[in-house]
Amino acid sequence: AEAFSARAEAYERKGRHDLAAADYRAAIEIAERLGARAQQSVLKARLGSALMETGHPEQGEVLLHEVIAGQEGAANEAMPAARLFLAGWLAMTGRTTEAREQIRLLREQFKIAHFVIFDGFILGLEAFVEVADDCYEAGLAKVRLALERAQDPLSQTIAPHMPAMYLHVAAVALAGADGGSRARDGARCLAAGDALLPHNHAPTTVERETRARAAKALRAALGDEAFEAAYEEGGGLSPREAAALV
């Protein structure tokens, strides 16, 4: 089961979620035969996330709800992982009230949610939900905090792609905040985020949709010429310089 799970995670990092889902299913079968129920919960949470990336979001959502409803995942990372995956999907599909409830329960039930890396993930997710609800100022406030947490060395090691995602969320918010008057900074943040992405990073659906929404909103606010000019300015910004624009 461990070998299948490790290979599945490697496939996910390459964007091969179809192969990852197959390996997670194989690992779950082995864990079931061994009676390793807690391990099954972790694997089902990962499978649910993979299914959402392979054109089967309904199946993935059902699995994540099952993990959350079960007791086995409460003592390990299955429950928080399932709530994180589910909240992001709910927000992206317009169900922000449900997403907010998942985040509330995550903070309430996950005892190490205050640790810097997990707090950063949750803050970034909270920012994503605020922006999905067109609450741009609230979203920017959360992004600022998430970017601070992302400077932590452990965060940079475990999730080096997250600052780019946070800057893309900020770009969406800046396109709409103050009637679009901060859209130039949004285009700079978009470019800075693109430049920060590790070269071998395979973006998730949420990441792709966020970037696409940002680019569309910024072009609409600025016009193509002004967008391209501001975007070019942002490509050379350091992470701290980009964060200062938020």
Side-chain angles (χ1 to χ4, degrees):
E2 290 292 343
F4 278 116
S5 177
R7 190 169 71 175
E9 290 181 29
Y11 280 140
E12 282 187 300
R13 287 192 293 272
K14 296 175 182 177
R16 294 304 310 271
H17 299 283
D18 52 337
L19 297 176
D23 274 356
Y24 282 131
R25 285 194 173 98
I28 289 168
E29 288 181 11
I30 295 171
E32 284 176 349
R33 290 201 298 269
L34 295 173
R37 298 178 69 184
Q39 188 181 22
Q40 287 177 54
S41 295
V42 174
L43 293 168
K44 284 180 178 179
R46 300 304 300 262
L47 174 58
S49 175
L51 288 171
M52 288 177 168
E53 300 293 328
T54 58
H56 303 285
E58 296 83 5
Q59 295 178 31
E61 195 170 322
V62 168
L63 264 180
L64 294 177
H65 279 295
E66 285 180 3
V67 172
I68 290 167
Q71 297 300 311
E72 292 80 14
N76 56 36
E77 69 267 30
M79 182 276 291
R83 290 203 191 280
L84 277 171
F85 297 147
L86 184 58
W89 182 257
L90 290 170
M92 195 183 79
T93 52
R95 291 171 286 171
T96 52
T97 300
E98 294 175 64
R100 290 177 188 278
E101 179 63 6
Q102 291 297 332
I103 296 170
R104 184 189 70 79
L105 290 169
L106 176 59
R107 283 204 178 277
E108 182 179 288
Q109 297 172 1
F110 191 35
K111 300 305 181 186
I112 60 172
H114 63 282
F115 283 14
V116 64
I117 185 166
F118 299 110
D119 190 37
F121 286 156
I122 298 170
L123 284 165
L125 185 55
E126 288 170 336
F128 180 72
V129 174
E130 295 292 357
V131 172
D133 252 348
D134 297 336
C135 299
Y136 301 125
E137 293 299 337
L140 288 169
K142 293 289 187 180
V143 169
R144 284 191 287 272
L145 294 172
L147 285 168
E148 287 179 14
R149 305 296 190 277
Q151 297 301 314
D152 179 78
L154 182 60
S155 297
Q156 292 175 352
T157 300
I158 294 176
H161 62 289
M162 291 311 294
M165 175 62 178
Y166 301 152
L167 286 170
H168 288 170
V169 172
V172 178
L174 289 167
D178 298 328
S181 64
R182 301 181 64 191
R184 288 186 66 85
D185 283 343
R188 295 181 183 108
C189 283
L190 184 67
D194 288 347
L196 284 174
L197 274 175
H199 74 279
N200 60 347
H201 177 65
T204 64
T205 299
V206 169
E207 290 169 337
R208 289 193 301 272
E209 291 291 327
T210 300
R211 194 206 178 281
R213 181 184 173 188
K216 182 179 179 180
L218 290 164
R219 285 186 183 276
L222 294 169
D224 289 342
E225 187 175 342
F227 168 80
E228 296 292 350
Y231 183 89
E232 187 173 348
E233 293 170 4
L237 295 176
S238 71
R240 290 190 182 278
E241 289 171 333
L245 298 174
V246 177

